[in-house]
Amino acid sequence: MPTRSRRAHPWPVRGKTALLAAFLVALHILLLCAGFVAPYDPTHQNRELPYAPPTRLHFVDSSGFHLRPFIYGWIADDDGYREDQTHAYPLRAFVRGDSYSFPGLGETNLHLFGVDDPGKILLVGMDAFGRDEFSRVVCGGQISVAAGIVATAVTLAVGSIVGVIAGYYGGWMDETLMGATELFLSLPWLYLLLGVRAFLPLHVSPARTFLLLTCVIGLIGWARPARLVRGIVLSARTRNYVAAAHSFGGSDFYLLRRHILPEASGVLLTQAALLVPRYIAAEVALSFFGLGVNEPVPSWGNMLTALQQYSVLISYGWLLAPVAALFVTSVTYYLLADALHSRLESREV
């Protein structure tokens, strides 16, 4: 009965996988175009509006209903902030604002939405220095998500190479490499990651910090994918069609490329969907403790450092926006990994 149910419902699994993949593609496109989506420069400070709450979108004023939403500016008073209803700022699309670098187009100042100066559209409020929190979440996601993706690529590349060599050639190479794998699996990777990063230079450029961070994270987690790839290669190399191709003169490279590595592609995709959120969380943890990307360049980790103060945590809830972004991204990746795993099981049946 379980076999029939899996075979009878292939499309729901495929549809779920496609939907999750489409959502992640849209999310990554949004992060790639962060400068265009963010209404302001994430490093720009407005010291007159520290901890300003999110602005409210309005459709009705004293003159009646408006199709175009508008906002009022914030005025600081003794009780915090109140709306200045003497002047409304309509929300506009494709406005000119702070300059940023757009991939492939160079320097530009076109933004997806905004309001006329001196109004400020604050979807997620401001931080202690008067920086737009929404712009920082979107731009900070570039660093955090890119770190997870690059570190995952490093992990899977190293793990695949080690697993293929160990599984295909066997013998002393298999014993040596798998011994090293067992050693890495027994290490507490989070504490090792913190220790290794602590010995690296702290005062370096954000670009070098990003490269060091991704390399350190990626090189620590290669052991588990290596074991998985080794098991697949051990199984695939004993199959009849591989032995037939080898007897007809197929080289090792041809056998690996044509017959063996395609068997591991599904498992590697599933591992990628599992590792990306894990490595994003690792970058967030390192930046939170001051060992990752430092200010003023935003990342989801260093944006959360302000929440170490209890008074800030309970008073300014919008500063938890990076946590919400991390949660949505991680859950989507884990759901995609589960959907990919279900597809692999349905193929094996």
Side-chain angles (χ1 to χ4, degrees):
M1 292 300 294
T3 300
R4 290 181 181 178
S5 63
R6 288 178 180 172
R7 288 182 176 178
H9 302 282
W11 288 109
V13 175
R14 294 181 182 178
K16 179 182 177 181
T17 305
L19 182 62
L20 291 169
F23 178 81
L24 283 176
V25 169
L27 176 63
H28 289 80
I29 292 176
L30 183 147
L31 295 178
L32 184 65
C33 305
F36 172 68
V37 176
Y40 305 108
D41 184 342
T43 63
H44 178 72
Q45 300 182 8
N46 186 344
R47 294 302 181 96
E48 297 179 357
L49 296 173
Y51 294 125
T55 51
R56 306 184 185 98
L57 290 178
H58 298 272
F59 290 89
V60 180
D61 61 6
S62 58
S63 62
F65 179 80
H66 299 268
L67 292 176
R68 183 191 296 271
F70 62 90
I71 66 167
Y72 296 115
W74 288 121
I75 295 179
D77 59 17
D78 295 337
D79 296 327
Y81 290 93
R82 60 180 176 85
E83 289 183 331
D84 179 13
Q85 299 187 359
T86 60
H87 188 78
Y89 302 93
L91 184 64
R92 305 183 187 278
F94 304 110
V95 299
R96 299 290 177 177
D98 298 326
S99 298
Y100 61 93
S101 295
F102 192 87
L105 297 179
E107 197 81 8
T108 182
N109 62 355
L110 182 66
H111 296 264
L112 178 61
F113 64 92
V115 296
D116 296 333
D117 290 334
K120 294 290 183 182
I121 174 69
L122 308 176
L123 296 181
V124 198
M126 283 189 168
D127 65 4
F129 300 99
R131 297 174 296 192
D132 179 42
E133 189 73 1
F134 175 77
S135 300
R136 290 179 62 78
V137 168
V138 175
C139 295
Q142 284 186 323
I143 300 295
S144 299
V145 175
I149 293 175
V150 174
T152 298
V154 172
T155 291
L156 294 182
V158 175
S160 298
I161 293 172
V162 173
V164 166
I165 294 175
Y168 189 78
Y169 293 103
W172 66 270
M173 298 182 68
D174 184 19
E175 294 179 0
T176 303
L177 293 176
M178 287 303 101
T181 300
E182 294 294 336
L183 175 62
F184 265 80
L185 287 175
S186 65
L187 294 175
W189 70 271
L190 179 59
Y191 298 106
L192 178 64
L193 184 61
L194 293 172
V196 171
R197 181 61 186 92
F199 280 100
L200 295 175
L202 295 179
H203 302 289
V204 294
S205 66
R208 291 188 62 186
T209 302
F210 175 81
L211 291 176
L212 289 172
L213 197 62
T214 53
C215 289
V216 169
I217 294 174
L219 291 175
I220 285 179
W222 60 268
R224 191 173 300 277
R227 291 186 63 182
L228 292 173
V229 172
R230 170 187 175 269
I232 295 173
V233 172
L234 280 173
S235 175
R237 73 173 187 174
T238 60
R239 295 180 181 177
N240 293 332
Y241 59 85
V242 177
H246 181 70
S247 64
F248 280 108
S251 64
D252 292 344
F253 177 76
Y254 172 81
L255 295 177
L256 289 170
R257 178 181 60 84
R258 183 67 179 84
H259 297 294
I260 296 178
L261 290 182
E263 296 283 338
S265 60
V267 173
L268 290 177
L269 283 176
T270 305
Q271 282 295 300
L274 289 171
L275 289 175
V276 170
R278 185 182 303 175
Y279 289 161
I280 293 175
E283 186 281 329
V284 170
L286 288 175
S287 297
F288 179 78
F289 290 116
L291 298 175
V293 178
N294 296 319
E295 295 280 5
V297 178
S299 78
W300 290 346
N302 62 30
M303 291 176 63
L304 294 174
T305 55
L307 300 180
Q308 295 179 12
Q309 303 178 29
Y310 180 72
S311 59
V312 174
L313 177 62
I314 62 174
S315 300
Y316 312 110
W318 56 85
L319 296 183
L320 288 169
V323 176
L326 175 63
F327 176 80
V328 171
T329 304
S330 300
V331 168
T332 306
Y333 266 108
Y334 285 132
L335 290 176
L336 178 61
D338 181 69
L340 290 171
H341 181 68
S342 298
R343 289 194 64 179
L344 285 177
E345 287 186 338
S346 64
R347 288 181 180 180
E348 292 175 357
V349 174

mmCIF file of all heavy atoms in Angstrom, residues 51 128 288 304-316 319:
data_model
loop_
_atom_site.group_PDB
_atom_site.id
_atom_site.type_symbol
_atom_site.label_atom_id
_atom_site.label_comp_id
_atom_site.label_asym_id
_atom_site.label_seq_id
_atom_site.Cartn_x
_atom_site.Cartn_y
_atom_site.Cartn_z
ATOM 1 N N TYR A 51 15.159 55.022 16.508
ATOM 2 C CA TYR A 51 14.096 54.099 16.909
ATOM 3 C C TYR A 51 12.708 54.573 16.462
ATOM 4 O O TYR A 51 11.703 54.340 17.160
ATOM 5 C CB TYR A 51 14.101 53.889 18.428
ATOM 6 C CG TYR A 51 15.320 53.178 18.942
ATOM 7 C CD1 TYR A 51 16.114 53.742 19.948
ATOM 8 C CD2 TYR A 51 15.681 51.937 18.432
ATOM 9 C CE1 TYR A 51 17.228 53.091 20.431
ATOM 10 C CE2 TYR A 51 16.804 51.277 18.919
ATOM 11 C CZ TYR A 51 17.575 51.855 19.903
ATOM 12 O OH TYR A 51 18.686 51.198 20.396
ATOM 13 N N ALA A 128 18.769 52.405 16.089
ATOM 14 C CA ALA A 128 19.231 53.422 17.038
ATOM 15 C C ALA A 128 19.917 54.589 16.355
ATOM 16 O O ALA A 128 19.962 55.694 16.902
ATOM 17 C CB ALA A 128 20.177 52.794 18.056
ATOM 18 N N PHE A 288 26.749 38.099 14.939
ATOM 19 C CA PHE A 288 26.106 38.519 16.183
ATOM 20 C C PHE A 288 27.139 38.676 17.297
ATOM 21 O O PHE A 288 27.058 39.599 18.118
ATOM 22 C CB PHE A 288 25.037 37.501 16.576
ATOM 23 C CG PHE A 288 24.336 37.826 17.864
ATOM 24 C CD1 PHE A 288 23.337 38.789 17.910
ATOM 25 C CD2 PHE A 288 24.671 37.164 19.040
ATOM 26 C CE1 PHE A 288 22.694 39.086 19.102
ATOM 27 C CE2 PHE A 288 24.026 37.446 20.232
ATOM 28 C CZ PHE A 288 23.038 38.417 20.267
ATOM 29 N N LEU A 304 21.372 42.180 14.688
ATOM 30 C CA LEU A 304 20.746 41.687 15.910
ATOM 31 C C LEU A 304 21.540 42.013 17.168
ATOM 32 O O LEU A 304 21.085 41.718 18.275
ATOM 33 C CB LEU A 304 20.547 40.171 15.824
ATOM 34 C CG LEU A 304 19.553 39.692 14.750
ATOM 35 C CD1 LEU A 304 19.559 38.171 14.660
ATOM 36 C CD2 LEU A 304 18.164 40.198 15.048
ATOM 37 N N THR A 305 22.718 42.582 17.008
ATOM 38 C CA THR A 305 23.533 42.887 18.194
ATOM 39 C C THR A 305 22.853 43.893 19.113
ATOM 40 O O THR A 305 23.064 43.867 20.328
ATOM 41 C CB THR A 305 24.906 43.417 17.772
ATOM 42 O OG1 THR A 305 24.744 44.554 16.905
ATOM 43 C CG2 THR A 305 25.698 42.345 17.024
ATOM 44 N N ALA A 306 22.036 44.786 18.534
ATOM 45 C CA ALA A 306 21.346 45.776 19.371
ATOM 46 C C ALA A 306 20.367 45.120 20.323
ATOM 47 O O ALA A 306 20.045 45.679 21.384
ATOM 48 C CB ALA A 306 20.610 46.782 18.485
ATOM 49 N N LEU A 307 19.904 43.912 19.992
ATOM 50 C CA LEU A 307 18.926 43.232 20.831
ATOM 51 C C LEU A 307 19.555 42.568 22.044
ATOM 52 O O LEU A 307 18.848 41.926 22.832
ATOM 53 C CB LEU A 307 18.171 42.188 20.001
ATOM 54 C CG LEU A 307 17.400 42.744 18.802
ATOM 55 C CD1 LEU A 307 16.699 41.634 18.054
ATOM 56 C CD2 LEU A 307 16.397 43.805 19.246
ATOM 57 N N GLN A 308 20.863 42.695 22.212
ATOM 58 C CA GLN A 308 21.494 42.187 23.429
ATOM 59 C C GLN A 308 21.052 42.988 24.650
ATOM 60 O O GLN A 308 21.154 42.493 25.769
ATOM 61 C CB GLN A 308 23.010 42.234 23.284
ATOM 62 C CG GLN A 308 23.550 41.316 22.204
ATOM 63 C CD GLN A 308 25.065 41.407 22.080
ATOM 64 O OE1 GLN A 308 25.741 41.975 22.931
ATOM 65 N NE2 GLN A 308 25.605 40.853 21.012
ATOM 66 N N GLN A 309 20.566 44.203 24.416
ATOM 67 C CA GLN A 309 20.021 45.013 25.504
ATOM 68 C C GLN A 309 18.540 44.690 25.679
ATOM 69 O O GLN A 309 17.752 44.810 24.731
ATOM 70 C CB GLN A 309 20.206 46.497 25.207
ATOM 71 C CG GLN A 309 21.644 46.918 24.964
ATOM 72 C CD GLN A 309 21.763 48.386 24.623
ATOM 73 O OE1 GLN A 309 20.944 49.197 25.055
ATOM 74 N NE2 GLN A 309 22.773 48.733 23.849
ATOM 75 N N TYR A 310 18.188 44.280 26.863
ATOM 76 C CA TYR A 310 16.808 43.852 27.109
ATOM 77 C C TYR A 310 15.815 44.985 26.878
ATOM 78 O O TYR A 310 14.715 44.759 26.356
ATOM 79 C CB TYR A 310 16.687 43.323 28.535
ATOM 80 C CG TYR A 310 15.310 42.848 28.893
ATOM 81 C CD1 TYR A 310 14.804 41.660 28.365
ATOM 82 C CD2 TYR A 310 14.492 43.593 29.753
ATOM 83 C CE1 TYR A 310 13.527 41.217 28.683
ATOM 84 C CE2 TYR A 310 13.221 43.155 30.076
ATOM 85 C CZ TYR A 310 12.739 41.974 29.543
ATOM 86 O OH TYR A 310 11.478 41.542 29.848
ATOM 87 N N SER A 311 16.182 46.190 27.243
ATOM 88 C CA SER A 311 15.272 47.330 27.069
ATOM 89 C C SER A 311 14.952 47.562 25.597
ATOM 90 O O SER A 311 13.823 47.907 25.243
ATOM 91 C CB SER A 311 15.886 48.591 27.681
ATOM 92 O OG SER A 311 17.137 48.888 27.067
ATOM 93 N N VAL A 312 15.954 47.372 24.732
ATOM 94 C CA VAL A 312 15.733 47.528 23.293
ATOM 95 C C VAL A 312 14.849 46.402 22.778
ATOM 96 O O VAL A 312 13.947 46.614 21.950
ATOM 97 C CB VAL A 312 17.087 47.549 22.548
ATOM 98 C CG1 VAL A 312 16.870 47.557 21.034
ATOM 99 C CG2 VAL A 312 17.905 48.759 22.976
ATOM 100 N N LEU A 313 15.069 45.192 23.256
ATOM 101 C CA LEU A 313 14.322 44.030 22.782
ATOM 102 C C LEU A 313 12.832 44.168 23.065
ATOM 103 O O LEU A 313 11.998 43.835 22.219
ATOM 104 C CB LEU A 313 14.876 42.767 23.443
ATOM 105 C CG LEU A 313 14.166 41.444 23.116
ATOM 106 C CD1 LEU A 313 14.274 41.140 21.632
ATOM 107 C CD2 LEU A 313 14.759 40.309 23.940
ATOM 108 N N ILE A 314 12.470 44.649 24.260
ATOM 109 C CA ILE A 314 11.057 44.718 24.618
ATOM 110 C C ILE A 314 10.389 46.001 24.126
ATOM 111 O O ILE A 314 9.153 46.059 24.059
ATOM 112 C CB ILE A 314 10.867 44.600 26.149
ATOM 113 C CG1 ILE A 314 11.546 45.772 26.873
ATOM 114 C CG2 ILE A 314 11.404 43.269 26.641
ATOM 115 C CD1 ILE A 314 11.284 45.786 28.358
ATOM 116 N N SER A 315 11.170 47.024 23.766
ATOM 117 C CA SER A 315 10.586 48.312 23.388
ATOM 118 C C SER A 315 10.466 48.501 21.888
ATOM 119 O O SER A 315 9.552 49.198 21.426
ATOM 120 C CB SER A 315 11.420 49.455 23.975
ATOM 121 O OG SER A 315 11.476 49.386 25.382
ATOM 122 N N TYR A 316 11.339 47.893 21.132
ATOM 123 C CA TYR A 316 11.378 48.131 19.685
ATOM 124 C C TYR A 316 11.315 46.792 18.953
ATOM 125 O O TYR A 316 12.329 46.279 18.467
ATOM 126 C CB TYR A 316 12.634 48.919 19.304
ATOM 127 C CG TYR A 316 12.865 50.127 20.182
ATOM 128 C CD1 TYR A 316 13.925 50.171 21.086
ATOM 129 C CD2 TYR A 316 12.001 51.213 20.132
ATOM 130 C CE1 TYR A 316 14.130 51.274 21.900
ATOM 131 C CE2 TYR A 316 12.192 52.328 20.949
ATOM 132 C CZ TYR A 316 13.257 52.343 21.827
ATOM 133 O OH TYR A 316 13.446 53.438 22.644
ATOM 134 N N LEU A 319 12.849 45.667 15.419
ATOM 135 C CA LEU A 319 14.250 45.300 15.208
ATOM 136 C C LEU A 319 14.438 43.786 15.112
ATOM 137 O O LEU A 319 15.541 43.315 14.836
ATOM 138 C CB LEU A 319 15.114 45.858 16.344
ATOM 139 C CG LEU A 319 15.178 47.389 16.438
ATOM 140 C CD1 LEU A 319 16.117 47.818 17.556
ATOM 141 C CD2 LEU A 319 15.630 48.008 15.119
#
